[in-house]
């Protein structure tokens, strides 16, 4: 690793997180989050300076083990996330638990574990939230609840950490052309039309704007929506 600042991106194995990693590659040493160590190693080798951050975000012991290996950190991007679809009367308590584990509890735990490192660098936390953290839609109860809760978490964290010099940004994408949307179209039926979706790179540019803000400026929130959908 060189003397550039370090960014940890969860969910960097694919989709939005991978696009963020590609965007930050020129200016940061990267820790790439995901579950498959071998795949992450191969992916890291395609970057200028990157190492795997292998952890199952639904497993608190695994998150703690992985976080302990991080000595210094400037930017923490939370992009790992899952989405369950279906009406409320078909959702089990376990489904609620499972999605909250990844979309919220892991974010809170990993952030808490890394606050000392982030305070030491006047670092930044970037939360990849969703349009569903700003509005709701039927069949998306669990996902919306996790993202509204993530928004509350980010808003409180921002105020608590202001005196410590940490800046917190919440990015709210509309529908993005990733595996997650492919799965949704499969669930709903119908034809996948990529041109109707945001490119992951467009969300990465919003993250870049937040990360590049000078130290006296916090980008609180950015909403990015597809033009045609
Ligand atoms: N796509 C959209 O339309 C959209 C819109 C708004 C917001 N978002 C949000 O953007 C973020 C990224 O979504 P995406 O579209 O890029 O999703 P994606 O293509 O489905 O990728 C999900 C990422 O999360 C990781 N992940 C999932 N469960 C995990 C777990 N238990 N432990 C560790 N990593 C886990 C995956 O790692 P593995 O490769 O190891 O599975 C993968 O890197 C999510 O927070 C999502 O809610 C997406």
């Amino acid at each position: 690793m060189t003397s550039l600042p370090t960014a940890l991106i969860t969910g960097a194995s694919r989709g939005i997180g991978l696009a963020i990693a590609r965007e930050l590659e020129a200016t940061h040493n990267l820790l790439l989050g995901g579950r498959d160590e071998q795949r992450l190693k191969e992916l890291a080798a395609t970057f200028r300076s990157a190492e795997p951050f292998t952890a199952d975000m639904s497993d608190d012991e695994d998150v703690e083990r992985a976080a302990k290996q991080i000595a210094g950190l400037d930017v923490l991007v939370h992009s790992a996330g899952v989405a369950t679809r279906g009406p409320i009367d078909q959702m089990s308590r376990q489904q609620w638990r499972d999605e909250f584990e990844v979309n919220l509890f892991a974010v809170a735990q990993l952030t808490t574990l890394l606050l000392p490192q982030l305070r030491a660098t006047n670092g930044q936390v970037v939360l990849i939230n969703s349009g569903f953290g700003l509005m709701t839609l039927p069949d998306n109860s669990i996902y919306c609840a996790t993202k509204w809760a993530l928004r509350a978490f980010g808003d409180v964290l921002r105020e608590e950490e202001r005196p410590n010099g940490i800046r917190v940004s919440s990015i709210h994408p509309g529908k993005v052309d990733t595996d997650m949307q492919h799965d949704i179209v499969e669930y709903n039926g119908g034809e996948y039309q990529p041109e109707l979706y945001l490119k992951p790179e467009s969300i990465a540019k919003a993250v870049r704007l937040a990360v590049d803000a000078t130290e006296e400026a916090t980008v609180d929130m950015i909403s990015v929506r597809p033009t045609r959908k």
Side-chain angles (χ1 to χ4, degrees), residues 20-221:
I20 295 167
R22 288 284 172 215
E23 175 62 42
L24 297 184
E25 177 176 16
T27 49
H28 291 74
N29 297 316
L30 301 177
L31 296 166
L32 305 176
R35 282 172 288 190
D36 185 331
E37 171 89 11
Q38 188 51 37
R39 260 190 59 209
L40 287 175
K41 274 187 181 157
E42 286 162 19
L43 184 66
T46 69
F47 281 80
R48 185 189 54 76
S49 171
E51 289 174 10
F53 176 83
T54 313
D56 183 345
M57 290 293 144
S58 63
D59 178 341
D60 56 350
E61 287 178 11
D62 206 27
V63 171
E64 192 172 345
R65 174 202 52 76
K68 273 190 182 147
Q69 294 164 22
I70 297 179
L73 190 66
D74 299 87
V75 177
L76 172 56
V77 181
H78 293 282
S79 190
V82 289
T84 310
R85 291 285 174 300
I88 290 172
D89 64 6
Q90 288 178 24
M91 294 294 114
S92 69
R93 184 163 175 154
Q94 195 58 48
Q95 282 174 300
W96 282 90
R97 281 204 190 101
D98 290 347
E99 196 156 329
F100 265 92
E101 286 288 351
V102 177
N103 291 6
L104 184 71
F105 302 159
V107 174
Q109 184 199 6
L110 185 59
T111 305
T112 304
L113 289 168
L114 294 174
L115 276 178
Q117 287 89 326
L118 291 166
R119 286 174 184 154
T121 57
N122 288 335
Q124 290 177 281
V125 178
V126 180
L127 303 164
I128 305 304
N129 198 301
S130 170
F132 284 161
L134 302 169
M135 43 82 80
T136 60
L137 205 66
D139 274 0
N140 291 277
S141 58
I142 304 181
Y143 187 66
C144 290
T146 65
K147 292 299 188 181
W148 279 68
L150 182 64
R151 187 173 141 206
F153 169 79
D155 286 351
V156 173
L157 183 71
R158 184 181 303 114
E159 296 315 314
E160 287 186 0
E161 290 301 320
R162 257 182 220 290
N164 299 322
I166 294 180
R167 292 170 289 154
V168 179
S169 302
S170 189
I171 313 292
H172 296 256
K175 294 177 191 305
V176 186
D177 180 16
T178 69
D179 292 346
M180 188 176 274
Q181 288 299 332
H182 282 268
D183 293 347
I184 291 168
V185 170
E186 205 172 294
Y187 169 83
N188 291 330
E191 193 190 337
Y192 194 81
Q193 295 175 271
E195 67 277 10
L196 297 182
Y197 294 81
L198 289 160
K199 297 185 177 99
E201 293 76 20
S202 299
I203 309 311
K205 287 201 168 67
V207 173
R208 167 61 75 189
L209 180 77
V211 168
D212 276 359
T214 46
E215 219 173 283
E216 90 296 352
T218 302
V219 175
D220 286 353
M221 197 270 271

